[in-house]
Amino acid sequence: MEERWLVGVDIGGTTIKLAFISLQGDIIYSWEIDTDICNKGKHIPASIARSIDQKLNELNQTKNRLIGIGIGAPGPVNAEDGSVEVAVNLGWENFPLKDILEQETSLSVVVENDANIAAIGERWKGAGKGANNLICVTLGTGVGGGIVVNGEVVHGVNGAGGEIGHITSVPKNGLLCNCGKSGCLETVASATGIVRLAREELSSTSNFSQLREHQTITAKLIVDAANEGDKLAKRVIQQVAHHLGLALANLANGLNPEKVIVGGGVSRAGDTLLEPLKEEFKSFAFPRVAQGVEIVTAALSNNAGVIGGAWLTKKRHMSI
Ligand code: ZN
């Protein structure tokens, strides 16, 4: 009999990533569709189901080949019934994703928060391979996080476990965060946070910087400039490393993880971010915690979510 496939799905605000994945965690086919957010996102499950059918047709396969679906959603998930409590970008509120997608596809569905599912993916096939205790932080438009303790993702009492982006990093006069409080890590370590730090540096300094030549400053521009040795950009990255190092060290002091994985667009700064981050982390971490941990960049980039989804399905069906 032919080997069966796992389905991994990762819902984002603009695109949905889908993949058929082998039981070993290798991507067999992956593709993307646009996220249909009209009518408060209610067509999203149907569009996922249709796209899976189309891909099976294209490949001359039947649904029997598929074991089940593991799906990541951008919001807190109710672990009991697989509903998404709220996903602002999609227009969802108490959205019964598991139930609807199971009806639409006749496959079993496991729902998980998108940052958690990325952490699971990195643990299975990426930078966290085999680590039973890890912290995964994603520096993108926002700052997402997933925490694995003793091999299990931490959900907490109402699904908000692992919200690393909302650790308070600027306790006094911090900027307002999307979550409603002020001074969150996200306000200084996300792509938008980094751009703001760069603007502050630019207005308070007369030093020459290649950033000055650009009308629009983006996080990518700052990361590239820092990699090329631009002093101002490097100072911005140093500030990010400071806030991130402090937050992660405090968290690590409570968890004693084996790996800290840094992903997302900002992590493309590579050693320019990682080296100062390691220094900052070390200065704030309990010495034995610092000795036990390895701080690394994520390995799966955009595929971490679909691979994590596949692992959840495998776990559900193979009782691993
Ligand atoms: Zn916040």
Side-chain angles (χ1 to χ4, degrees):
M1 193 186 144
E2 286 176 310
E3 196 200 53
R4 297 182 72 199
W5 296 341
L6 308 157
V7 186
V9 183
D10 190 3
I11 307 178
T14 50
T15 56
I16 299 172
K17 295 182 180 65
L18 302 101
F20 295 149
I21 293 171
S22 75
L23 288 168
Q24 289 72 43
D26 298 316
I27 292 181
I28 297 163
Y29 295 99
S30 69
W31 70 101
E32 283 183 14
I33 58 173
D34 291 337
T35 310
D36 180 3
I37 54 168
C38 71
N39 290 321
K40 295 195 165 180
K42 75 170 188 189
H43 304 303
I44 289 173
S47 67
I48 291 168
R50 205 166 44 238
S51 181
I52 289 171
D53 285 342
Q54 278 168 3
K55 188 53 80 177
L56 285 171
N57 272 338
E58 227 175 283
L59 301 169
N60 282 323
Q61 302 289 337
T62 65
K63 208 167 254 176
N64 291 335
R65 185 112 202 210
L66 307 179
I67 295 169
I69 300 172
I71 185 165
V77 169
N78 182 326
E80 307 243 304
D81 63 7
S83 65
V84 180
E85 312 266 2
V86 62
V88 182
N89 292 341
L90 309 179
W92 288 356
E93 224 180 300
N94 297 318
F95 190 82
L97 179 59
K98 176 182 156 73
D99 289 351
I100 302 178
L101 197 56
E102 285 187 339
Q103 278 165 23
E104 295 276 356
T105 60
S106 322
L107 291 165
S108 81
V109 173
V110 191
V111 182
E112 179 58 272
N113 167 268
D114 58 355
N116 289 345
I117 219 167
I120 293 168
E122 287 289 343
R123 178 178 175 247
W124 190 21
K125 299 295 286 187
K129 246 180 199 175
N132 278 330
N133 293 281
L134 65 83
I135 298 170
C136 192
V137 62
T138 309
L139 311 175
T141 318
V143 173
I147 297 171
V148 174
V149 172
N150 298 335
E152 295 287 337
V153 152
V154 173
H155 292 114
V157 68
N158 60 2
E163 287 292 349
I164 298 169
H166 304 285
I167 291 175
T168 301
S169 292
V170 189
K172 271 189 188 163
N173 303 320
L175 285 150
L176 189 65
C177 177
N178 289 331
C179 74
K181 70 183 191 74
S182 297
C184 294
L185 180 63
E186 186 163 296
T187 66
V188 284
S190 65
T192 33
I194 288 172
V195 169
R196 197 163 43 226
L197 290 178
R199 289 225 176 85
E200 281 168 17
E201 281 278 341
L202 275 171
S203 62
S204 68
T205 175
S206 58
N207 285 357
F208 172 79
S209 165
Q210 42 178 289
L211 292 179
R212 281 195 181 283
E213 297 157 21
H214 296 271
Q215 291 286 325
T216 331
I217 296 174
T218 61
K220 184 178 182 301
L221 197 70
I222 296 159
V223 165
D224 289 346
N227 279 338
E228 286 165 22
D230 184 276
K231 285 207 171 75
L232 187 146
K234 280 177 91 168
R235 278 208 302 280
V236 171
I237 298 294
Q238 177 65 46
Q239 283 185 58
V240 174
H242 169 75
H243 291 300
L244 195 57
L246 176 60
L248 289 173
N250 282 338
L251 198 54
N253 283 349
L255 299 169
N256 192 195
E258 183 179 339
K259 290 268 171 80
V260 170
I261 302 169
V262 186
V266 179
S267 71
R268 287 190 205 118
D271 283 347
T272 310
L273 171 66
L274 225 55
E275 290 310 319
L277 175 61
K278 284 177 185 171
E279 287 300 313
E280 294 284 347
F281 180 95
K282 204 175 153 195
S283 72
F284 295 123
F286 182 61
R288 200 167 164 79
V289 167
Q291 277 163 25
V293 78
E294 197 187 347
I295 301 177
V296 291
T297 46
L300 302 177
S301 71
N302 288 338
N303 291 325
V306 291
I307 291 175
W311 188 85
L312 286 177
T313 302
K314 179 173 172 174
K315 186 180 178 210
R316 165 74 55 91
H317 289 268
M318 311 278 160
S319 52
I320 51 175

